[in-house]
Amino acid sequence: MGKGGALSEGVVKKILLSYAYVGIWIFLSFTVIVFNKYILDRKMFNWPYPISLTMIHMAFCSSLAFLLIRVFKVVEPVSMSSDLYLRSVVPIGALYSLSLWFSNSAYIYLSVSFIQMLKALMPVAVYSLGVLFKKDAFKSDTMANMVSISIGVAIAAYGEARFDAWGVMLQLGAVVFEATRLVMIQILLTSKGISLNPITSLYYVAPCCLAFLSVPWFIVEFPLLRETSSFHFDFLIFGTNSLCAFALNLAVFLLVGKTSALTMNVAGVVKDWLLIAFSWSVIKDTVTPINLAGYGIAFLGVGYYNHSKLQALKAKEAQKKAAQLDEEAGRLLVEREVEDAGRKTESQT
């Protein structure tokens, strides 16, 4: 009786912990998005310098990651040669810096709800690039699903009250750069057996991003900031914002490490709907019925895509287990035959 109680207690504890990780990730992701919007929007904090904001995040994150790895030794660094760093981490850092720059820039022109709707195109971009780089096999049913997501997003864009072509281009650019980064991680790091957790990832990638962003910053934003003499650096606002961005990276690590990438996808869908509701009710963004109908179609497509990915993973795991069992059975058979042969030899002598 006691044993059964302990088991169910453990299961309940596991479920509650999973919900806690999901809750923390949704809260932090939500906070970072709304916070960035607040800082960059001309009607709110009115500091429309997305490259500078991204650079503040990267400087803060790389400093904290350095302290956690080199000083406090919380996480072990990955053994990485300078050749591997230049060929793998540098291109990933370049793509990450472009993705962050473009996505943060979009907050100046678009509503939070519409940005979330456009982000639904991420699986489309990742799958298309995966097929292009021969990391994914082309399947006509998956492609049809990708087309349905794209149609849904197109309808949502058609119904957008605050449609801004430049903002849409920036957000779509961010999606393409982020999708390319994810595919490149698979090609350049995962295939070589290197996996970076968020702290080691920030330790290697964040300084690289900082270096890349300093070039457009010097050309685009530095002259503007020099002219804005009225601006004083608000340590509370930017410090809290950077801390939230760093905490979000850790939350991703916890969520994927303790649950699964699929849980994160499902949590992402919940977060998107919450952001749309928040954007409409609190920030007073206009969300039209056509907007919602289009996003609803895209959302169903993304849901189906995640479901089919889970089924494929389950089938792969089952195959792996079956192969392992076959291997073990084969090994036992060989051992038994060797034993039998040994016994025969003994009885003959």
Side-chain angles (χ1 to χ4, degrees):
M1 180 75 191
K3 238 182 192 176
L7 181 74
S8 61
E9 212 175 282
V11 169
V12 167
K13 206 174 177 185
K14 211 172 181 185
I15 291 166
L16 287 174
L17 266 175
S18 294
Y19 277 119
Y21 294 135
V22 168
I24 291 164
W25 179 78
I26 288 177
F27 171 75
L28 285 167
S29 185
F30 189 98
T31 307
V32 169
I33 288 167
V34 174
F35 211 152
N36 286 355
K37 171 72 176 170
Y38 167 75
I39 290 171
L40 295 161
D41 199 294
R42 293 182 201 276
K43 291 194 212 80
M44 297 184 205
F45 188 73
N46 188 24
W47 198 67
Y49 303 107
I51 306 173
S52 304
L53 184 67
T54 312
M55 283 177 79
I56 292 166
H57 287 173
M58 289 298 110
F60 184 87
C61 290
S62 44
S63 307
L64 261 185
F66 179 84
L67 286 171
L68 289 170
I69 288 176
R70 291 289 172 202
V71 181
F72 300 112
K73 303 199 186 305
V74 175
V75 182
E76 279 291 307
V78 177
S79 56
M80 188 160 322
S81 63
S82 53
D83 179 55
L84 183 68
Y85 185 85
L86 285 169
R87 285 197 312 194
S88 302
V89 178
V90 171
I92 289 165
L95 289 163
Y96 194 37
S97 61
L98 287 164
S99 159
L100 290 170
W101 169 20
F102 279 40
S103 64
N104 280 338
S105 301
Y107 287 115
I108 300 169
Y109 306 96
L110 303 173
S111 67
V112 168
S113 55
F114 188 42
I115 284 173
Q116 296 316 115
M117 290 175 190
L118 290 172
K119 279 182 184 175
L121 286 169
M122 187 61 80
V124 180
V126 171
Y127 178 71
S128 305
L129 286 163
V131 169
L132 193 70
F133 288 108
K134 295 187 167 49
K135 278 279 144 197
D136 264 316
F138 177 84
K139 288 178 186 156
S140 50
D141 57 339
T142 310
M143 208 57 197
N145 183 20
M146 296 299 134
V147 170
S148 75
I149 296 170
S150 307
I151 290 167
V153 173
I155 294 167
Y158 176 75
E160 175 59 21
R162 263 188 66 195
F163 187 90
D164 183 296
W166 178 239
V168 170
M169 277 170 68
L170 284 167
Q171 186 52 51
L172 292 179
V175 166
V176 170
F177 286 126
E178 181 59 12
T180 313
R181 182 182 78 92
L182 294 171
V183 173
M184 283 298 146
I185 286 173
Q186 227 182 330
I187 295 168
L188 301 172
L189 292 177
T190 317
S191 61
K192 291 183 175 76
I194 296 165
S195 61
L196 301 176
N197 67 46
I199 299 174
T200 49
S201 175
L202 286 173
Y203 175 74
Y204 291 110
V205 177
C208 201
C209 283
L210 200 57
F212 276 113
L213 288 166
S214 62
V215 179
W217 177 78
F218 201 77
I219 300 161
V220 181
E221 289 184 8
F222 178 64
L224 295 169
L225 283 162
R226 207 170 36 186
E227 286 165 27
T228 338
S229 53
S230 60
F231 174 74
H232 70 281
F233 191 85
D234 192 322
F235 281 96
L236 183 67
I237 290 276
F238 291 101
T240 318
N241 182 246
S242 300
L243 194 62
C244 287
F246 183 79
L248 178 60
N249 276 286
L250 298 189
V252 170
F253 177 43
L254 272 176
L255 189 63
V256 177
K258 306 289 180 186
T259 56
S260 69
L262 193 88
T263 307
M264 190 174 157
N265 285 339
V266 174
V269 168
V270 175
K271 178 207 72 184
D272 289 347
W273 284 110
L274 283 172
L275 273 164
I276 290 166
F278 179 85
S279 181
W280 170 71
S281 59
V282 180
I283 308 176
K284 301 289 179 225
D285 281 331
T286 312
V287 180
T288 66
I290 298 172
N291 251 167
L292 287 176
Y295 183 63
I297 295 166
F299 159 72
L300 289 172
V302 173
Y304 178 73
Y305 175 67
N306 286 336
H307 171 73
S308 46
K309 267 187 94 173
L310 177 68
Q311 296 308 318
L313 274 172
K314 277 184 178 171
K316 213 175 186 181
E317 281 296 308
Q319 242 176 342
K320 213 188 255 177
K321 271 187 184 164
Q324 276 175 345
L325 286 170
D326 283 351
E327 205 179 298
E328 273 176 35
R331 206 182 297 127
L332 284 169
L333 202 68
V334 169
E335 278 173 16
R336 202 169 288 159
E337 278 173 1
V338 168
E339 270 178 32
D340 288 348
R343 276 200 204 104
K344 266 183 192 168
T345 313
E346 273 174 30
S347 63
Q348 278 167 4
T349 53

